[in-house]
Amino acid sequence: MWCHDIGREQAANKPLLKTVFQVMMRLFSPRKTTLMFVIRDKTRTPLENLEPVLREDVQKIWDAVPKPSAHKETPLSEFFNVEVTALSSYEEKEEQFKEQVASLRQRFFHSIAPGGLAGDRRAVVPASGFSFSAQQIWKIIKENKDLDLPAHKVMVATVRCEEIVNEKFSSFIANEEWRQLEETIQSRPVPSFGRKLSSILDFFLTEYDAEATYFDEGVRSSKRKQLEEKLLQLVQPAYQSMLGHVRSGTLDRFKDAFNNALNGGKGFAMAARECFEYFMSQFDEGSAEAYIDQANWDSSKVREKLHRDIDAYVAAVHTAKLSELANMYETKLNEALSGPVEALLDGASDDTWPAIRKLLQCETEKAVAGFSTALSGFEMDEETQDKMLLRLKEHARGLIEAKAKEEAGRVLIRMKDRFTTMFSHDSDSMPRIWTGKEDIRAITKTARSASLKLLSVMAAIRLDDEADTVENKLSLALLDPKAGTTNKSSSMDPLASSTWDEVPATKTLITPVQCKSLWRQFKAETEYTVTQAIAAQEASKRSNNWLPPPWAIVALVVLGFNEFMTLLRNPLYLGIIFVAFLLVKALWVQLDISGEFRNGALPGILSLSTKFLPTVMNLLRKLAEEGQKHANTGSQHNAPQAAKSSQSVASSSASSEVTSSENGAEYSSPSAHHKLQ
């Protein structure tokens, strides 16, 4: 054997050696036969390293050979004496090779010498019996079919057909059309793939048939089948790639068509069913186009995978669409309920919760009807659809409960806003002016009652139309002091509890204890507004009550009768009094005496004391300017006329100033500016 074939299966003739072992044990008795392995073209590897490998292979073959019962435990050494020799390369070391061959030849010449190749000589047959012994050996060989060798033509056919198979296989691998087809199929599908590949395979198989037509039919057919199997094994990855392209392309087209059908308004179940049937038939056509005539491959596994992929995609879209629909109708309910519910709770009254219940029922029915119509296209079972509709109803109810809880967290702010609005505005929504005629106690009670109404409405969620006594308890405990006193004397505080009698804990927004605490805080924070109103009313009363009492007026008339008659008898006094009245009126307006005394007597006196002298000086300066103006433009008059004229000018100036001040004119003094109203 060749040195490089050591350790190989066929090249080292291991099957032949196995047959020799089996026949020797079955046909012959144990006798020492020498097995000599001659290694050709020994390499640099020492023989000491090659010989153990070869002996180990021989021992493994011996151990693996089935043995007759008589030789189950017979060692290899009983039948064979294994020897190994090596020859150098004839091409590289010719002289050394010839010397080694000559030495080996001498061993055969002297094979019967003691220790020679002939073995232990136990079964030596004398020369006179050689003829009979040879006949018996030949008879045994002829009768044993394991030793039959094939006919010469079969051997030739086997070798030649094997060569043709290898040639055609190599030619197929190097074929440009196949290589281009294989390269293209890695990135994209190839039209008419099956037809093209079948044509290439048929070409090479036909060539094989043409070249092997004169050889043994059995060998030729066997080798043709072997060639066909090798070629199909080579092209199978390309076929699988083609099926993969068909599957992925079909899946992508299914997704696009399915989404377009849904966007076009077609029902989900109908769109899925129609698209599935159509594109599965498309895959069947594509897989038929990829079919190879020489192979009997089944594309059912790829088809099943496409089926699973389509089902998975449809299920994902189904879940996404249902979620999208649910979110859309939940959003609609948010928009339809949040704002109106907040407005209804803000304007809390006896009709608040009935109105909320009516709004909830109306909007829920509308949303459920639309959602049910949208779900009909999914063709789902009735139980699943009922669960989704129930979930939508619960969402609507949860929205109102969440909004109620949110508003309950701001109830104190709402109560103060309502109190301020009702306390500071009249029935026509006009701001109140505290003139002293308003009943602040009644207004305060009304505003607090409205705020308490808001608190009672926000105390619990009333979506089930069940009556409760929350408002009555709050009114008796917080608005009616007498009733509260009676309750305290007769029993415990009705608000000293963490639950309402008729309201479940899950529906309670504000507990009785919290209501009491909120009311206490509410009263403390609105007390200042009431106090300010009372102060404004008192100030208004003081500012409007500047006339003396009636008895003082009567006393002035009775006691001043003589002075009144004196004025009637001397009209000059009337002129002087009139001028003095005008001057006093002008000072009154300029100093805004009524406004200064609005905040009290002492602050008014202190303010007037600082403004009196500058105002008088300003008034006199204006009178002097008017007199100077008339003196420069008028003619010379006598002293009485001048005096009279001065009085007339003074009176006119004062009168004009009073008139101007009554019209809202603005005057200035050295110390301050005042606007008279």
Side-chain angles (χ1 to χ4, degrees):
M1 64 174 62
W2 295 103
C3 184
H4 56 264
D5 287 338
I6 295 177
R8 296 183 179 179
E9 183 72 18
Q10 298 293 336
N13 287 321
K14 288 184 180 180
L16 177 60
L17 192 59
K18 181 178 181 181
T19 302
V20 171
F21 287 168
Q22 289 176 340
V23 172
M24 287 292 290
M25 283 188 296
R26 189 168 66 249
L27 303 181
F28 304 103
S29 59
R31 51 179 294 182
K32 260 307 177 50
T33 302
T34 301
L35 284 176
M36 175 171 281
F37 293 89
V38 181
I39 301 174
R40 282 292 309 273
D41 292 355
K42 182 173 70 67
T43 61
R44 293 181 180 180
T45 304
L47 182 61
E48 292 79 6
N49 295 341
L50 296 174
E51 184 175 353
V53 175
L54 194 56
R55 288 182 179 274
E56 183 180 357
D57 289 343
V58 173
Q59 185 64 45
K60 287 181 179 178
I61 294 172
W62 175 261
D63 294 338
V65 168
K67 303 177 182 66
S69 57
H71 300 295
K72 284 286 185 182
E73 303 299 331
T74 303
L76 175 66
S77 58
E78 289 291 326
F79 279 88
F80 301 100
N81 180 28
V82 180
E83 291 194 14
V84 180
T85 186
L87 301 178
S88 300
S89 174
Y90 179 78
E91 299 292 338
E92 297 178 0
K93 302 177 181 179
E94 183 178 354
E95 295 298 330
Q96 188 176 354
F97 175 81
K98 291 180 178 180
E99 292 176 2
Q100 292 172 349
V101 170
S103 175
L104 183 61
R105 186 183 300 115
Q106 291 299 320
R107 293 190 64 186
F108 278 93
F109 286 165
H110 304 287
S111 60
I112 61 174
L117 295 178
D120 57 4
R121 311 286 293 166
R122 286 183 298 176
V124 173
V125 178
S128 60
F130 174 75
S131 175
F132 179 76
S133 176
Q135 289 176 0
Q136 292 299 317
I137 291 174
W138 184 246
K139 181 180 177 182
I140 293 173
I141 292 174
K142 286 179 66 177
E143 291 176 354
N144 194 291
K145 299 300 182 181
D146 291 343
L147 300 178
D148 285 354
L149 296 177
H152 177 71
K153 66 173 185 177
V154 175
M155 295 179 63
V156 173
T158 302
V159 173
R160 184 62 188 134
C161 289
E162 183 71 27
E163 290 177 353
I164 297 173
V165 166
N166 294 333
E167 289 175 4
K168 298 309 171 187
F169 186 74
S170 301
S171 299
F172 180 85
I173 294 176
N175 181 264
E176 185 63 28
E177 188 176 359
W178 156 247
R179 293 176 63 182
Q180 185 176 359
L181 192 65
E182 184 183 27
E183 181 180 355
T184 305
I185 201 65
Q186 301 300 323
S187 57
R188 58 184 176 85
V190 177
S192 304
F193 173 83
R195 181 176 56 81
K196 292 179 180 179
L197 190 54
S198 297
S199 176
I200 299 173
L201 290 171
D202 186 64
F203 173 77
F204 284 95
L205 291 174
T206 302
E207 280 194 342
Y208 169 84
D209 292 338
E211 294 186 21
T213 185
Y214 298 109
F215 295 102
D216 182 76
E217 182 179 358
V219 176
R220 183 176 73 239
S221 300
S222 174
K223 294 300 179 181
R224 188 184 193 279
K225 186 176 181 181
Q226 181 181 348
L227 174 61
E228 189 175 352
E229 290 177 353
K230 290 178 66 176
L231 291 176
L232 291 177
Q233 186 177 2
L234 178 65
V235 303
Q236 188 174 18
Y239 172 75
Q240 294 296 333
S241 297
M242 181 62 190
L243 286 183
H245 288 307
V246 174
R247 183 193 63 79
S248 60
T250 304
L251 180 61
D252 292 339
R253 292 193 300 274
F254 170 84
K255 292 178 180 178
D256 294 337
F258 183 53
N259 292 332
N260 291 335
L262 293 180
N263 295 333
K266 185 173 288 188
F268 184 92
M270 181 180 295
R273 186 165 50 250
E274 292 179 355
C275 290
F276 174 80
E277 293 174 355
Y278 176 77
F279 284 98
M280 289 305 291
S281 65
Q282 289 288 305
F283 173 80
D284 292 338
E285 293 177 5
S287 60
E289 187 178 352
Y291 181 76
I292 299 174
D293 297 338
Q294 293 79 6
N296 190 23
W297 292 330
D298 187 11
S299 61
S300 60
K301 291 186 177 180
V302 182
R303 192 179 194 278
E304 291 174 2
K305 188 176 188 315
L306 174 63
H307 195 312
R308 292 194 300 271
D309 291 342
I310 290 178
D311 288 345
Y313 180 76
V314 170
V317 175
H318 184 271
T319 303
K321 288 294 182 182
L322 287 181
S323 178
E324 182 180 345
L325 273 177
N327 290 336
M328 182 180 71
Y329 280 96
E330 288 176 1
T331 302
K332 287 183 178 180
L333 283 174
N334 288 346
E335 296 173 354
L337 294 176
S338 295
V341 168
E342 183 176 352
L344 288 171
L345 291 175
D346 186 31
S349 64
D350 293 334
D351 296 331
T352 294
W353 283 108
I356 291 176
R357 288 194 294 270
K358 184 177 180 181
L359 175 67
L360 172 63
Q361 182 180 1
C362 178
E363 295 298 335
T364 302
E365 289 177 354
K366 189 187 303 181
V368 166
F371 193 37
S372 179
T373 302
L375 291 178
S376 62
F378 289 84
E379 298 181 6
M380 60 177 60
D381 59 279
E382 186 175 355
E383 183 180 357
T384 304
Q385 183 171 343
D386 291 343
K387 286 182 179 179
M388 297 191 70
L389 295 177
L390 179 61
R391 194 178 302 120
L392 184 64
K393 294 178 183 178
E394 292 175 349
H395 175 76
R397 191 180 183 94
L399 277 176
I400 293 181
E401 292 180 356
K403 178 58 68 174
K405 291 178 182 179
E406 180 183 348
E407 293 299 315
R410 299 197 294 262
V411 66
L412 182 59
I413 299 174
R414 299 286 191 189
M415 290 169 63
K416 291 191 293 183
D417 291 343
R418 172 170 286 200
F419 177 84
T420 302
T421 300
M422 296 195 67
F423 187 79
S424 302
H425 295 77
D426 57 18
S427 58
D428 297 328
S429 299
M430 298 297 293
R432 294 186 189 274
I433 299 176
W434 304 104
T435 61
K437 299 178 182 180
E438 296 81 12
D439 187 354
I440 293 181
R441 182 181 297 276
I443 294 172
T444 302
K445 186 174 182 180
T446 302
R448 286 180 176 173
S449 298
S451 300
L452 187 66
K453 170 68 72 174
L454 176 62
L455 180 61
S456 65
V457 168
M458 298 301 302
I461 298 174
R462 301 175 178 89
L463 292 178
D464 297 326
D465 195 14
E466 296 179 355
D468 58 64
T469 58
V470 173
E471 184 176 358
N472 292 335
K473 286 185 178 181
L474 290 176
S475 298
L476 292 174
L478 302 177
L479 278 184
D480 193 348
K482 295 180 180 179
T485 304
T486 303
N487 289 338
K488 289 179 182 178
S489 60
S490 60
S491 63
M492 63 176 293
D493 186 354
L495 298 183
S497 173
S498 59
T499 58
W500 301 102
D501 294 339
E502 303 86 358
V503 181
T506 56
K507 304 299 181 184
T508 301
L509 297 177
I510 307 174
T511 63
V513 174
Q514 291 173 337
C515 286
K516 187 173 183 180
S517 176
L518 286 170
W519 185 257
R520 187 182 301 112
Q521 187 176 354
F522 163 75
K523 288 184 66 177
E525 294 184 10
T526 56
E527 194 70 31
Y528 178 74
T529 303
V530 179
T531 304
Q532 287 292 99
I534 295 173
Q537 195 177 55
E538 293 296 330
S540 178
K541 288 180 180 179
R542 288 196 300 269
S543 63
N544 293 330
N545 194 18
W546 56 273
L547 292 175
W551 62 267
I553 296 175
V554 174
L556 286 174
V557 172
V558 173
L559 297 177
F561 180 76
N562 295 333
E563 288 76 5
F564 178 71
M565 295 303 296
T566 302
L567 290 177
L568 291 178
R569 294 190 187 98
N570 192 352
L572 180 60
Y573 289 157
L574 289 175
I576 295 172
I577 292 173
F578 179 70
V579 172
F581 171 76
L582 292 178
L583 290 173
V584 171
K585 180 65 176 177
L587 287 174
W588 183 278
V589 174
Q590 284 280 347
L591 295 174
D592 190 18
I593 294 177
S594 60
E596 296 294 343
F597 281 96
R598 186 176 296 126
N599 296 324
L602 182 59
I605 293 173
L606 293 176
S607 178
L608 290 176
S609 64
T610 59
K611 294 163 51 178
F612 180 76
L613 185 58
T615 304
V616 172
M617 295 299 294
N618 187 35
L619 186 60
L620 292 177
R621 179 175 57 77
K622 289 187 176 183
L623 291 175
E625 290 176 356
E626 292 291 334
Q628 185 66 30
K629 181 178 179 182
H630 284 282
N632 293 335
T633 58
S635 60
Q636 190 71 26
H637 297 286
N638 53 22
Q641 290 177 344
K644 186 176 180 180
S645 176
S646 299
Q647 293 176 358
S648 177
V649 169
S651 63
S652 298
S653 175
S655 177
S656 65
E657 290 185 16
V658 170
T659 304
S660 300
S661 65
E662 289 178 351
N663 292 331
E666 198 173 50
Y667 297 95
S668 61
S669 67
S671 62
H673 295 280
H674 303 279
K675 185 175 182 178
L676 305 180
Q677 299 178 355

